[in-house]
Amino acid sequence: MPLAPTIPRTTRRRHDREIVGLAVPAFGALVAEPLFVMADSAIVGHLGTAQLAGLGVASALLTTAVSVFVFLAYATTAAVARRVGAGDLQAAIRQGMDGIWLALLLGAAVIAAVLPLAHGLVSLFGASHTAAPYATTYLRISALGIPAMLVVLAATGVLRGLQNTRTPLYVAVAGFVVNAALNAGLVYGAGLGIAGSAWGTVITQFGMALVYLAVVVRGARAHGTSLRPDAAGIRASAQAGIPLLVRTMSLRAILMIATAVAARLGDADIAAHQIILSLWSLLAFALDAIAIAGQAIIGRYLGADDAQGAREACRRMVQWGIATGVVLGLLVVAARPLFLPLFTSDSVVKSTALPALLMVALSQPVCGIVFVLDGVLMGAGDGPYLAWAMVLTLAVFAPVALLIPTLGGGLTALWAAMTLMMTVRMLTLWLRARSGHWIVTGATR
């Protein structure tokens, strides 16, 4: 991949230290996030099946509502990192404050939409008549924490842009511990049931948001940055986020189509698909951690007008992505007999999942390249290209996936289509990286 000449050993070592220093804490923070839902599920599950089912529906709705705004972290990371590279920390923190104000505005809008529509959304997701009341209760209470969740996303982006991934790790771990303790106390100690779990989550999210705000405000005061909302800055943050929103929604559409196709294949196939998807998501965390490092490092190099450094860092991160993908693929192959019994004892589900897991294993080096180049182009602020590339990928994947129930092939064919999807993404991102059009230096793109 001729993005840069052969990198000298000393330069490789410097890049390796930077990548590891940012990626390892980022991975820890990413893994902590799904543990929130797992803790809630473990606590609520002892209340009864209907309560757990209600939590499942409400959590899926909340996750969707928050995940579409992940651009608050991605776009903010790139913009802040550029200004860090340019040596203007005051402007970097000002950019971060604009992202945080945008998060608050979007959070208020989501609350205004979710509260009156909660019952209808739960029904739309197909909750049973016994689970629906619990899902509605949980959704309405938890929605109050959405502004805090979005502030956490934006503030995480600020710290990543400042080359700090350790603080998000500490906050995420502390948040997990506090969330578990609060939920157990409110659900059982206070006897609030599923409402107690929702309130515990809301309190924890606001606590995390306040910690992040304290860190950002301290930095703002140290560098003489205004904390007041700036309409032009908020508007610029929103404009930078729109292409990434299109990218994220296209990716969500791909995952929804895959789940819908698996459901049409039969009960064993959808059960096996959910197991494989959970593993695929876990593997994605490891690769996404490198991508997050890429966002921060590439943005800083470009802000410092160091195009050659950006090329070298990109090349080295691609090498890391491929190597990590190979290791993860081998681990999947080796752990298949041990992994499946953790989720099911059904021999039919196991036999359905086994060949599909091989497709997942084979695709990991491709996934490694995709995640890294995705992070590199995000760090470069190349959002419009990422949006169009993902829309193109969706256009290729959708007809192939939708034909699988008709043409046959089962779940293995579906995950072959998922591998095709990642291959298309790799090609579009590789062509962009090779072209060099993403390399735009300066404090702003």
Side-chain angles (χ1 to χ4, degrees):
M1 188 173 189
L3 294 171
T6 302
I7 306 172
R9 180 176 298 179
T10 55
T11 304
R12 288 202 307 269
R13 288 177 178 173
R14 187 181 76 249
H15 288 315
D16 290 347
R17 286 194 298 270
E18 285 187 325
I19 294 167
V20 172
L22 291 170
V24 172
F27 174 70
L30 289 169
V31 170
E33 292 174 10
L35 292 179
F36 275 74
V37 177
M38 290 179 63
D40 288 359
S41 299
I43 292 168
V44 171
H46 292 287
L47 294 174
T49 302
Q51 289 90 333
L52 184 58
L55 173 67
V57 171
S59 293
L61 286 165
L62 282 167
T63 300
T64 300
V66 174
S67 65
V68 296
F69 297 115
V70 73
F71 69 82
L72 289 166
Y74 293 160
T76 303
T77 297
V80 171
R82 274 185 176 269
R83 286 161 176 78
V84 168
D88 192 348
L89 287 178
Q90 184 183 61
I93 296 174
R94 176 66 262 176
Q95 181 73 44
M97 288 303 305
D98 292 335
I100 290 171
W101 280 110
L102 176 62
L104 287 170
L105 292 173
L106 290 173
V110 174
I111 287 179
V114 170
L115 287 182
L117 297 175
H119 181 70
L121 290 170
V122 167
S123 299
L124 186 64
F125 254 59
S128 68
H129 70 280
T130 54
Y134 296 111
T136 303
T137 297
Y138 190 92
L139 181 59
R140 281 179 173 154
I141 296 173
S142 294
L144 299 175
I146 288 178
M149 296 178 196
L150 299 188
V151 166
V152 167
L153 281 177
T156 299
V158 176
L159 295 180
R160 289 174 181 169
L162 294 170
Q163 318 296 294
N164 177 1
T165 56
R166 291 184 179 274
T167 299
L169 170 61
Y170 300 149
V171 175
V173 172
F176 167 71
V177 173
V178 171
N179 180 69
L182 274 175
N183 280 9
L186 293 173
V187 170
Y188 297 112
L192 297 179
I194 196 170
S197 177
W199 281 117
T201 300
V202 169
I203 294 169
T204 301
Q205 292 293 343
F206 271 101
M208 293 171 65
L210 288 174
V211 172
Y212 274 117
L213 288 174
V215 173
V216 174
V217 168
R218 186 172 65 235
R221 288 175 175 168
H223 294 90
T225 304
S226 172
L227 300 176
R228 295 180 180 178
D230 177 67
I234 294 171
R235 186 165 54 250
S237 294
Q239 289 172 346
I242 289 173
L244 296 181
L245 176 62
V246 172
R247 167 202 167 275
T248 301
M249 293 184 71
S250 298
L251 179 57
R252 296 292 299 184
I254 287 171
L255 297 177
M256 289 175 65
I257 289 171
T259 300
V261 169
R264 291 175 62 189
L265 295 174
D267 289 346
D269 293 88
I270 186 61
H273 176 74
Q274 288 303 113
I275 294 171
I276 295 171
L277 190 61
S278 66
L279 175 62
W280 193 75
S281 300
L282 179 62
L283 298 174
F285 285 140
L287 298 172
D288 202 25
I290 305 174
I292 288 169
Q295 294 170 30
I297 292 170
I298 294 298
R300 192 189 73 231
Y301 274 116
L302 294 178
D305 293 322
D306 188 354
Q308 182 62 23
R311 290 189 185 93
E312 290 176 350
C314 176
R315 184 181 183 89
R316 189 56 178 162
M317 280 183 282
V318 169
Q319 292 170 352
W320 268 83
I322 294 172
T324 305
V326 170
V327 171
L328 292 176
L330 292 174
L331 286 175
V332 170
V333 173
R336 283 187 309 157
L338 303 174
F339 173 74
L340 290 174
L342 294 175
F343 290 87
T344 181
S345 57
D346 189 321
S347 59
V348 177
V349 174
K350 289 179 184 178
S351 63
T352 302
L354 275 172
L357 276 173
L358 281 178
M359 296 302 306
V360 173
L362 290 172
S363 71
Q364 288 310 296
V366 173
C367 292
I369 297 173
V370 168
F371 275 82
V372 167
L373 291 181
D374 209 37
V376 166
L377 297 184
M378 283 184 190
D382 205 14
Y385 182 85
L386 289 172
W388 285 113
M390 189 59 80
V391 170
L392 172 64
T393 302
L394 172 60
V396 172
F397 172 78
V400 174
L402 293 173
L403 282 173
I404 288 172
T406 302
L407 298 179
L411 191 66
T412 302
L414 176 59
W415 277 94
M418 290 288 284
T419 302
L420 170 65
M421 177 270 293
M422 294 302 291
T423 303
V424 172
R425 288 187 69 190
M426 181 186 71
L427 291 174
T428 57
L429 297 175
W430 180 79
L431 288 172
R432 185 65 167 181
R434 181 174 177 142
S435 74
H437 294 319
W438 57 278
I439 301 177
V440 179
T441 59
T444 58
R445 183 176 173 87

